[in-house]
Amino acid sequence: MKDSHGRTIDYLRISLTDRCNLRCIYCMPAEGIEQVPHESILTFDEILRFVRIAAEAGVRRVRLTGGEPLVRKGVEGLVRDLHAIDGIRDISLTTNGILLAKHMPRLVEAGLSRVNISMDTLDPEQYREITRGGNLEDVLAGISAALAAGINPVKVNAVAVRSLNQDYYAFARMSVDRPLHMRFIEYMPVGDSSGSCGQGWGEQDVISCDEIRAQIDARATEEGVDGLVPVEGSSRPDGGGPARYWQFPGAAGTVGFISPLSRHFCGECNRFRLTSTGMLRPCLFSDDEFDARTVLREGTDDDVRALLQQALGAKPEEHTQGDHANATQVGMNQIGG
Ligand code: SAM
Ligand code: SF4
């Protein structure tokens, strides 16, 4: 699938649920979200039909996200069925890691290729505060389980929020002894500014990836350790995403930076997003969406194909993220990041 700006779209991110077992302060309100009626959520059969048609059109890679995808029952079965679809070469998962250790062996058996684990800090107390009650030990066990299961690459993502004062150096150093890809993501203006999706985004809380890298290098110098060097070409962890990678010399893993705000990568955008209620979104930062659920429930395969083409035609050339007034009003827990 080529869009009107010449980009090939071969990647689909699917949110399996809005629900989550955590309440991260930048993503969800403390009391949780209003429950979406069960019948509004796409069934696994509907998801599989959509992916089959999308794969015929050229989608090659699928990522499962949420909310927290592992709170939905039967994800292993979904992975197995996605794996069996002609054309799908890569199935990955974005998870907060809390339930990962328990699910990891069966997910791998089912055909999961890769996993991204979200973990914003290595300080157990701060982790509890950011996630409003999460236990860091569970996530660390999830990371170890992913490595033990032979998943490669294992990426660990931290959203950097200036007022949280996270220890970026300690996080980056986790890449030294184990083949972990520790990545920083700039805090994005998602959700309405009233804080209904979290505490409310503020520009003062955005810290650019360049600043984070400079802080890591300054700490390395203080500690008498060599600083980060760029990782190019085939040494980059695969996945086709927008991160830029660096590495401590001799480290087993890498340190990645995802800068949607300070260095946007719309020119390389290769994806569509399907929300848990079956809305197809051409761009993370726009509220334009196409009702795939109704078409899946009432239409033919040709109708689904036509919807994909419509969404393809609607992919904007680039987003207007710096301008919060134009950013999406829907929370990240609904779109899936
Ligand atoms: N629950 C899963 C998890 O946390 O990995 C999957 C869904 S979560 C919405 C996907 C990713 O979006 C997480 O890494 C989360 O930290 C990130 N995220 C949420 N709100 C964000 C924001 N405003 N800016 C940047 N990343 C955000
Ligand atoms: Fe849940 Fe992920 Fe949002 Fe945290 S970032 S509240 S883990 S959906």
Side-chain angles (χ1 to χ4, degrees):
M1 282 189 284
K2 276 244 192 267
D3 76 0
S4 46
H5 308 287
R7 296 169 298 200
T8 300
I9 310 304
D10 61 359
Y11 180 35
L12 178 66
R13 294 176 70 106
I14 304 172
S15 173
L16 297 184
T17 175
D18 288 359
R19 297 184 193 191
C20 189
N21 46 0
L22 297 179
R23 297 276 179 275
C24 299
I25 51 174
Y26 51 73
C27 181
M28 289 247 194
E31 65 282 9
I33 46 158
E34 219 178 287
Q35 303 256 313
V36 177
H38 194 64
E39 58 281 7
S40 302
I41 302 287
L42 288 190
T43 64
F44 284 171
D45 282 344
E46 288 165 345
I47 291 174
L48 288 164
R49 175 166 171 231
F50 186 84
V51 173
R52 240 175 251 122
I53 296 167
E56 281 166 25
V59 164
R60 295 290 165 260
R61 294 177 300 128
V62 169
R63 174 170 294 277
L64 304 179
T65 174
E68 173 49 39
L70 295 180
V71 301
R72 187 155 173 188
K73 287 209 173 62
V75 176
E76 289 88 350
L78 178 68
V79 170
R80 192 192 53 236
D81 294 343
L82 286 169
H83 192 61
I85 293 178
D86 265 353
I88 298 298
R89 299 192 192 122
D90 182 274
I91 303 164
S92 54
L93 176 78
T94 297
T95 171
N96 60 32
I98 295 286
L99 299 172
L100 191 60
K102 185 172 139 207
H103 288 269
M104 199 68 247
R106 273 175 291 142
L107 284 168
V108 172
E109 250 175 58
L112 188 79
S113 332
R114 296 180 299 114
V115 66
N116 287 7
I117 300 160
S118 304
M119 180 182 75
D120 297 330
T121 175
L122 286 170
D123 174 343
E125 204 38 55
Q126 189 179 41
Y127 184 81
R128 206 179 299 284
E129 276 166 34
I130 295 176
T131 59
R132 300 199 182 94
N135 179 5
L136 183 69
E137 284 300 318
D138 294 339
V139 190
L140 295 173
I143 293 173
S144 296
L147 287 173
I151 288 271
N152 184 26
V154 176
K155 295 176 182 169
V156 184
N157 294 335
V159 178
V161 179
R162 193 184 290 277
S163 58
L164 292 177
N165 277 321
Q166 294 138 292
D167 184 341
Y168 307 128
Y169 179 74
F171 182 85
R173 291 298 287 180
M174 272 191 74
S175 66
V176 174
D177 295 331
R178 297 194 291 173
L180 290 171
H181 304 284
M182 308 300 293
R183 312 188 318 161
F184 295 97
I185 304 178
E186 282 174 359
Y187 188 25
M188 294 183 258
V190 170
D192 68 21
S193 47
S194 71
S196 67
C197 301
Q199 63 182 6
W201 180 87
E203 192 147 16
Q204 69 287 351
D205 257 336
V206 176
I207 172 162
S208 75
C209 284
D210 285 347
E211 189 177 341
I212 297 172
R213 192 160 52 77
Q215 285 194 19
I216 294 172
D217 275 338
R219 260 294 284 291
T221 307
E222 273 169 41
E223 309 278 335
V225 168
D226 286 336
L228 294 168
V229 293
V231 178
E232 310 287 357
S234 60
S235 317
R236 289 163 46 93
D238 62 0
R244 290 172 307 127
Y245 287 96
W246 301 70
Q247 191 169 40
F248 288 111
T254 64
V255 181
F257 296 91
I258 303 177
S259 323
L261 298 191
S262 65
R263 205 182 288 253
H264 72 66
F265 31 74
C266 302
E268 296 148 47
C269 186
N270 55 1
R271 60 200 60 190
F272 276 149
R273 294 178 161 81
L274 186 65
T275 69
S276 56
T277 54
M279 299 300 132
L280 185 61
R281 291 191 151 233
C283 173
L284 172 62
F285 290 102
S286 157
D287 281 332
D288 271 356
E289 56 184 24
F290 295 82
D291 183 354
R293 185 182 66 205
T294 301
V295 176
L296 283 164
R297 292 187 180 171
E298 297 171 12
T300 62
D301 286 3
D302 276 342
D303 295 333
V304 179
R305 286 183 194 106
L307 186 94
L308 275 168
Q309 290 307 316
Q310 247 181 305
L312 200 59
K315 261 190 91 68
E317 184 166 12
E318 55 183 45
H319 66 67
T320 48
Q321 45 21 62
D323 174 1
H324 192 213
N326 285 329
T328 173
Q329 301 294 297
V330 173
M332 203 67 115
N333 61 299
Q334 284 162 286
I335 316 172

